[in-house]
Amino acid sequence: MKKESKYKFETKAIHSGYDSTKHLDSLAPPIYQTSTFTFSSLEQGANRFAGAEGGYVYSRLSNPTVTILEERIAQLEAGEAALAFGSGMAAVSAVLIGLTKYGDHILCSKGVYGCTFGLLQILKEKYNIDHSFSDLATKEAILSHINENTACIYIETPINPTMTLVNLELVVSVAKEKGIIVVVDNTFSTPYLQQPLQLGCDLVIHSATKFIGGHGDVVAGLIAGDQELVGQLKKTVQKDIGGVIAPFDAWLLVRGLKTLAVRMDRHCENAEKIAAQLKEHPKVKAVYYPGDRDHPDYELMKKQMKKGGGLLSFELNGNYEQTVKAVNQLKLISIAVSLGDAETLIQHPASMTHGAVPEKVRKEMGISNELLRLSVGLESWEDIWQDLKQALDSV
Ligand code: LCS
């Protein structure tokens, strides 16, 4: 599975997939802002279409700037190949459509991002592709949800926004016995903190809009895995549905990846400190952060992740109205969805990212009306905490 490279993660994040000598010695990769590529003869065009000759054809099929990004993320995820998409949801939908057929079943982690939940409803209502949710916590729990139509297991870990983890090695051991593909949405962890392919999972998905871009200025998605599976998805659902990334957006992600390791270290450091402060505040009822020693999945976090990540959730010691009041008092922290940016962002999952999930299902997922999700940014942690503290003190 692993594409050999003698370099460590931080070095690969800056160099892999790009050779300046092939691009007029330009240190920064060029943006190939072109829709199509010219052929020197009809025969050459026919050969490129047939795959008998290398070279580019048309930017929905591939583009040199996008190739740099795909090769880089493949290396960082320890995969053989990768594909870039125009959004995280374009990647999620390509994968789920690509892996299933009419009558199949998808087994999901206990919670998934609200639009992934929406996509699962579409697949069920229009294409008879069923799904079920499970905490996937024991072999028995996993087996009890698998049937002969189960085509894949789809996992978020940590789960958005409850911050619960799924034991990937356990799921892989059961899935392998049954010949079922394991897909992991690695958006919250990034390959710096967690590498599901190394643990035996088959495909990794990212909303690259988040930590991979890192600057809140691009919407994009990525997948990585082995050559055969990724190649199949490239030739089918990526080419024929066509949710590809634009060259400039690919360029922004190549740039973002260069600083991923240092940014993630700071996101984690700040989140650890904010979680510790929140836990001590009298107005806070509960804090959910996998990097916190008291989190039920702390030991699992240490096993399958490098650190606890940049996201945490918490609930106030109060009702919904007090929660609203506290959030509206914030001055530095922005009220916004998305995550993984330099700016600290706070959102209310029940009315925002998971607002489309029916209340009963939301409760089963662990999303109360008082739950707030914080994407801890790169500012001084003291400034972030002072802002949170004054807001909490005010209710
Ligand atoms: N997967 C996860 C875990 C996500 O959190 C998101 C977006 C997606 C996939 C979809 O990616 P997109 O198409 O937006 O690039 N999550 C969001 C969130 O929590 N707040 O705003 C968007």
Side-chain angles (χ1 to χ4, degrees):
M1 170 69 69
K2 195 177 164 79
K3 207 167 187 177
E4 285 312 317
S5 165
K6 63 182 173 165
Y7 295 115
K8 301 228 177 334
F9 186 94
E10 291 80 352
T11 312
K12 286 195 275 191
I14 294 167
H15 293 278
S16 59
Y18 184 60
D19 178 354
S20 61
T21 64
K22 297 195 175 131
H23 300 275
L24 300 174
D25 304 318
S26 173
L27 176 72
I31 304 168
Y32 285 87
Q33 189 67 30
T34 183
S35 58
T36 199
F37 299 82
T38 57
F39 309 129
S40 60
S41 66
L42 189 149
E43 292 88 333
Q44 186 189 49
N47 282 335
R48 285 196 187 171
F49 264 89
E53 180 186 316
Y56 290 91
V57 171
Y58 183 64
S59 282
R60 177 158 45 74
L61 311 183
S62 44
N63 170 285
T65 311
V66 177
T67 304
I68 298 164
L69 169 66
E70 291 172 339
E71 289 187 4
R72 187 163 296 180
I73 195 71
Q75 289 248 352
L76 295 177
E77 283 288 5
E80 291 173 353
L83 298 176
F85 292 84
S87 70
M89 285 317 301
V92 175
S93 55
V95 166
L96 290 184
I97 292 169
L99 295 182
T100 56
K101 60 180 188 319
Y102 184 90
D104 274 351
H105 166 252
I106 302 165
L107 172 55
C108 301
S109 50
K110 194 176 164 198
V112 289
Y113 168 58
C115 294
T116 303
F117 181 86
L119 173 66
L120 291 167
Q121 307 312 307
I122 295 173
L123 293 176
K124 183 173 176 169
E125 284 158 22
K126 297 186 75 170
Y127 306 107
N128 191 33
I129 295 163
D130 203 1
H131 60 269
S132 50
F133 295 102
S134 162
D135 62 13
L136 306 171
T138 60
K139 184 172 179 179
E140 295 68 39
I142 301 166
L143 285 173
S144 72
H145 283 89
I146 289 176
N147 62 48
E148 70 271 23
N149 297 322
T150 306
C152 71
I153 304 181
Y154 185 92
I155 299 166
E156 282 183 20
T157 181
I159 296 174
N160 183 2
T162 55
M163 307 308 296
T164 310
L165 306 194
V166 174
N167 185 335
L168 294 178
E169 272 183 337
L170 174 71
V171 176
V172 166
S173 69
V174 181
K176 285 269 162 349
E177 271 177 34
K178 298 273 174 190
I180 297 171
I181 289 177
V182 179
V183 180
V184 177
D185 183 329
N186 207 24
T187 300
F188 271 37
S189 300
T190 82
Y192 182 64
L193 299 180
Q194 175 173 275
Q195 297 182 330
L197 301 179
Q198 295 273 43
L199 300 174
C201 301
D202 300 286
L203 267 183
V204 164
I205 301 184
H206 284 283
S207 166
T209 313
K210 312 294 161 31
F211 291 105
I212 288 178
H215 295 76
D217 48 17
V218 59
V219 172
L222 294 165
I223 68 170
D226 72 20
Q227 185 62 56
E228 196 186 333
L229 190 50
V230 172
Q232 247 177 40
L233 296 171
K234 180 177 173 68
K235 278 188 288 186
T236 55
V237 281
Q238 192 187 44
K239 175 173 81 67
D240 297 334
I241 299 178
V244 293
I245 195 171
F248 178 60
D249 290 350
W251 183 87
L252 283 171
L253 297 184
V254 168
R255 187 166 80 148
L257 279 171
K258 291 185 188 186
T259 55
L260 181 67
V262 281
R263 285 188 286 109
M264 289 315 290
D265 279 338
R266 176 64 83 90
H267 280 296
C268 293
E269 210 178 285
N270 280 358
E272 276 166 31
K273 288 180 172 143
I274 298 296
Q277 296 290 336
L278 281 171
K279 274 176 75 180
E280 296 302 316
H281 197 282
K283 299 274 172 58
V284 175
K285 186 168 79 184
V287 177
Y288 307 99
Y289 181 59
D292 167 17
R293 281 172 195 284
D294 296 329
H295 190 282
D297 296 325
Y298 180 71
E299 290 306 320
L300 179 58
M301 182 285 289
K302 284 205 301 189
K303 201 166 145 238
Q304 71 186 23
M305 295 172 71
K306 191 171 175 152
K307 292 177 186 177
L311 270 296
L312 61 85
S313 292
F314 64 101
E315 281 164 322
L316 254 59
N317 230 337
N319 56 23
Y320 173 70
E321 285 68 33
Q322 288 165 311
T323 306
V324 172
K325 187 167 179 236
V327 171
N328 288 341
Q329 288 295 325
L330 291 165
K331 311 245 174 332
L332 174 70
I333 297 171
S334 302
I335 308 170
V337 293
S338 205
L339 56 105
D341 295 330
E343 296 82 359
T344 298
L345 307 178
I346 196 163
Q347 68 109 0
H348 179 243
S351 65
M352 296 178 185
T353 52
H354 293 67
V357 179
E359 188 165 5
K360 182 175 169 288
V361 184
R362 244 180 8 237
K363 292 264 152 70
E364 284 161 10
M365 287 179 171
I367 305 170
S368 72
N369 283 338
E370 287 75 39
L371 188 76
L372 295 170
R373 189 191 73 190
L374 193 71
S375 172
V376 182
L378 303 175
E379 302 97 335
S380 142
W381 79 268
E382 284 105 332
D383 290 337
I384 301 168
W385 173 241
Q386 283 312 315
D387 196 29
L388 278 170
K389 184 172 179 309
Q390 62 80 24
L392 291 167
D393 289 344
S394 76
V395 294

